[in-house]
Amino acid sequence: MTIMPRQKILRLILGDQLNEKHSWFKTPDRQVTYVMMEIRQETDYVKHHIQKVAAFFAAMRAFAKRLGALGHRVVYLKLDDPKNHQTIADNIAYLLHKKKFTHFEYLLPDEYRLDAQLREIVEKLPIPHQVADTEHFLTERQELEKFFAGKKRFLMESFYRWMRKRYNIMMDNQQPVGGQWNYDQKNRQAYDNKMPIPKPLLFKNDVSDIDRTIRKNRVKTFGEIVPEKLIWPVTRDQALALLKAFVKDGLPAFGTYQDAMTAKSWFLFHSRISFAMNTKLLHPLEVIETAVNAWAKKKPKISIQQIEGFVRQILGWREYMRGIYWSLMPDLASMNYFKHATALPDFYWTGETRMNCLRMAIEQSLKHAYAHHIQRLMVTGNFALLAGVHPADVDDWYLGVYIDAIQWVELPNTRAMSQFADGGLVATKPYISSAKYIHSMSDYCETCEYDWKKRHGDMACPFNSLYWDFFARHRKNLQNNPRVAMMYRVWDRMDRVAQKEILKQAAVYKKNLNQL
Ligand SMILES: Cc1cc2nc3c(=O)[nH]c(=O)nc-3n(C[C@H](O)[C@H](O)[C@H](O)COP(=O)(O)OP(=O)(O)OC[C@H]3O[C@@H](n4cnc5c(N)ncnc54)[C@H](O)[C@@H]3O)c2cc1C
Ligand code: SF4
């Protein structure tokens, strides 16, 4: 009888792979050791918000502890551990050599960068390796590309309908429950004080130790933190509690006010579960099912427009953006359709601007590492696009500032959707607006030093002249787009003197972006 040598397997868990329901963790196995690592490779590839780094490390530490409690063997390398070699490649090489592992396994990373790196690492390994799925997403990496094969545009709506049918979410014999797929028209209300804004469930995670380590090791970060009270969920129990709180308090008005912005609240009726989902503490299907079940039970309180609006975000937008990422990478990361080259204004890092909408959105981003979707798209993103900021600068800011920012979801949202740098594969027209939209969807203009009604002259709102200047300077790229043709007709009919004044005003503002 031949005796098989005992296998010793090393399994890598990345910081956004905290899915305790994964089949890897079904039963503890003494032949398997899991490794998790806090590394400079990940803290330094972009400048991150301090809360983002702290929340990732706190969630990773809690996950390692949880695995240990479930009986799994875990090696956890803290940032300042002398044995930590600070890159995945070096740590893996060190552990394989030191502990004589016979096999190496990892979970499919969500970022192109890490995917390439891990493939390179395993190619050079002297031992066998295996890759497993994260069992998190509802579509395969390349599925969206196949779905849209041969199409010029990737329309989210058709993908979303297909996903509803495929997962049988709110369906009745292949037709949407309620008879409509889309309630967007009803879901575009400004906040009118009719529904009280819920009190947020904020956690008080003490991350002082992590905060000290980050600072002692001179990791470059920005933004604010109260290290004794990190508000973000770092365990599955906390993530579930946040989901429960949202379903009870936010969901009943989610759809109605999903595009609203107000100085009264930094999150309104939004769920704030993106960090929990992106680290995989929560599974998208359990989020959808929890919300749909609540709707089914409390129909008069939670109307169909609310639940449909929410399901669309996760079953539709989130999976769609991931598919876009994998079908357009690596090219997406360098696309710049408008050839924009301006540097990101300094106030994105400080919030010091007289433009109230930008000040509010940026200040809360620096304070909480969070802004809701319409602030990201129609305030900070809108302004960067109108001002002609280089998409690489815009990406670095979004990737650094938000608690939920991981490249697979940040990049398609920023470069493609918000900056139109893909030339319109994702969005059918650039997401830009003048002050009129911001005024109609928020109360920011009421207390702003600028006048939202003025296009030029003293304290004219910068969004107005920059808006028309954008159309004028990108005429070649845009005039044949049927979705914006109307704006060119308005511009062409405008009085010549007014046009000249607007462009003159825009030129002054573009020259003095940092002083706005
Ligand atoms: C310029 C820009 C950059 C963005 N960067 C990120 C990012 O780095 N990480 C990230 O998770 N989201 C990003 N988004 C999408 C969206 O703004 C956030 O998911 C959302 O604001 C997170 O807050 P929430 O959990 O309260 O979301 P809610 O409004 O409560 O929505 C529920 C969930 O739906 C999902 N979702 C909603 N919209 C999108 C979308 N467009 N793409 C993907 N998922 C979506 C998220 O998982 C979110 O948690 C970005 C959007 C824009 C316009
Ligand atoms: S007036 Fe202009 S700058 Fe001020 S809040 Fe309104 S849109 Fe923003």
Side-chain angles (χ1 to χ4, degrees), residues 9-21:
I9 304 168
L10 181 65
R11 283 180 174 168
L12 171 70
I13 304 171
L14 297 172
D16 65 346
Q17 297 178 335
L18 313 181
N19 173 11
E20 72 171 61
K21 302 273 174 203

Side-chain angles (χ1 to χ4, degrees), residues 254 270-274 277-278 310 313-314 317-318 321 370-373 376-377 398 404-406 409-410 413-414 417-418:
F254 178 85
H270 292 273
S271 65
R272 296 181 295 110
I273 56 168
S274 46
M277 276 211 284
N278 294 354
F310 185 68
Q313 306 308 314
I314 296 167
W317 282 109
R318 188 169 187 266
M321 284 304 186
Y370 177 88
H372 55 79
H373 186 70
R376 299 186 200 195
L377 188 65
Y398 279 99
D404 52 35
I406 306 183
V409 54
E410 175 279 326
N413 269 296
T414 306
M417 189 178 194
S418 149

Side-chain angles (χ1 to χ4, degrees), residues 24-287:
W24 264 10
F25 310 121
K26 258 193 191 136
T27 38
D29 182 343
R30 300 313 285 168
Q31 288 175 240
V32 175
T33 301
Y34 293 95
V35 60
M36 300 181 72
M37 48 185 92
E38 299 171 1
I39 41 180
R40 292 305 293 254
Q41 171 193 316
E42 294 307 299
T43 56
D44 296 3
Y45 70 89
V46 77
K47 193 158 91 164
H48 303 279
H49 195 296
I50 178 75
Q51 287 188 42
K52 185 180 167 194
V53 185
F56 266 92
F57 286 0
M60 287 165 66
R61 288 182 185 189
F63 190 73
K65 211 169 147 191
R66 170 92 181 130
L67 289 187
L70 292 172
H72 299 284
R73 245 174 226 248
V74 186
V75 172
Y76 191 93
L77 296 169
K78 288 189 178 173
L79 192 73
D80 54 358
D81 189 322
K83 293 190 291 298
N84 188 342
H85 293 69
Q86 304 299 344
T87 66
I88 297 178
D90 291 344
N91 279 334
I92 297 296
Y94 166 77
L95 286 169
L96 291 183
H97 173 74
K98 186 95 184 148
K99 310 247 166 148
K100 308 276 179 277
F101 286 101
T102 61
H103 290 75
F104 175 67
E105 297 181 4
Y106 68 99
L107 296 171
L108 271 182
D110 293 324
E111 288 201 8
Y112 191 87
R113 174 182 64 92
L114 291 169
D115 193 57
Q117 192 192 11
L118 274 155
R119 270 191 280 126
E120 203 186 309
I121 291 173
V122 293
E123 254 170 42
K124 293 183 192 150
L125 284 184
I127 53 168
H129 72 272
Q130 245 181 342
V131 190
D133 195 272
T134 53
E135 301 168 9
H136 174 83
F137 290 101
L138 306 176
T139 41
E140 305 280 325
R141 277 182 181 176
Q142 307 300 342
E143 234 175 313
L144 178 127
E145 195 176 350
K146 283 187 207 139
F147 181 77
F148 287 115
K151 299 270 178 353
K152 249 174 134 183
R153 291 224 157 82
F154 296 176
L155 267 189
M156 204 297 279
E157 187 64 34
S158 43
F159 171 76
Y160 166 65
R161 291 180 188 186
W162 174 65
M163 290 292 280
R164 285 269 299 271
K165 288 183 200 161
R166 178 173 166 182
Y167 280 91
N168 195 21
I169 307 283
M170 297 170 66
M171 293 301 298
D172 186 4
N173 271 335
Q174 297 289 299
Q175 288 308 310
V177 170
Q180 257 174 266
W181 289 102
N182 192 318
Y183 295 83
D184 269 5
Q185 286 311 324
K186 282 189 182 168
N187 282 352
R188 287 191 180 139
Q189 282 186 35
Y191 184 58
D192 50 13
N193 295 305
K194 282 190 185 151
M195 286 282 283
I197 295 167
K199 204 170 160 282
L201 172 61
L202 304 177
F203 300 98
K204 291 182 183 158
N205 290 304
D206 189 347
V207 293
S208 317
D209 184 28
I210 293 173
D211 181 61
R212 264 193 304 277
T213 308
I214 293 169
R215 292 181 198 279
K216 209 171 120 205
N217 287 277
R218 296 181 199 282
V219 175
K220 283 196 188 119
T221 61
F222 67 103
E224 299 166 30
I225 189 167
V226 183
E228 301 77 26
K229 290 183 198 172
L230 183 83
I231 63 172
W232 297 103
V234 298
T235 62
R236 182 164 158 79
D237 283 350
Q238 289 184 349
L240 286 168
L242 188 60
L243 173 62
K244 197 170 158 201
F246 162 72
V247 166
K248 181 172 155 280
D249 302 330
L251 188 58
F254 178 85
T256 308
Y257 300 115
Q258 68 184 6
D259 284 2
M261 298 177 280
T262 172
K264 296 186 182 98
S265 165
W266 55 277
F267 59 92
L268 272 139
F269 299 91
H270 292 273
S271 65
R272 296 181 295 110
I273 56 168
S274 46
F275 174 76
M277 276 211 284
N278 294 354
T279 48
K280 304 185 180 58
L281 289 171
L282 291 179
H283 192 279
L285 216 48
E286 79 178 324
V287 173

